[in-house]
Amino acid sequence: MALDPRFLSILCCPVSKRALKPLSRARLGFLNDAVRASTVHNAAGTAVNTIIADALISVDDKVIYRIDDGVPVLLPEEGIGTTQFTDFPA
């Protein structure tokens, strides 16, 4: 589900305060492959075990936030850092 561009324009990373953008399908596929391999952890250190249907990423490509039922989950502890992936797609 695509977020309304006006809504997206006011969202920001709760930690860095940088803007957010939709996570591309290729990157989402990479992330979900890693979830299936049980190698993904959120900022709180908890393993991410649920496939992610949609997500946002900070414009600096450092943190991913999932979207649940059309609602962005912008809790700092729920963010998924991209530095845990050695080959995260550009």
Side-chain angles (χ1 to χ4, degrees), residues 30-53:
F30 176 93
L31 176 61
N32 282 323
D33 287 346
V35 168
R36 285 184 200 92
S38 300
T39 60
V40 180
H41 292 82
N42 63 22
T46 305
V48 177
N49 300 320
T50 305
I51 296 300
I52 298 169

Side-chain angles (χ1 to χ4, degrees), residues 22-90:
L23 189 64
S24 71
R25 292 289 134 208
R27 287 175 153 189
L28 185 61
F30 176 93
L31 176 61
N32 282 323
D33 287 346
V35 168
R36 285 184 200 92
S38 300
T39 60
V40 180
H41 292 82
N42 63 22
T46 305
V48 177
N49 300 320
T50 305
I51 296 300
I52 298 169
D54 207 359
L56 299 171
I57 189 168
S58 57
V59 293
D60 61 1
D61 292 335
K62 293 193 178 189
V63 184
I64 299 168
Y65 296 96
R66 72 180 190 278
I67 300 174
D68 290 346
D69 297 322
V71 179
V73 180
L74 300 179
L75 300 170
E77 62 273 13
E78 293 293 327
I80 299 169
T82 59
T83 58
Q84 66 187 296
F85 310 115
T86 56
D87 52 354
F88 191 66

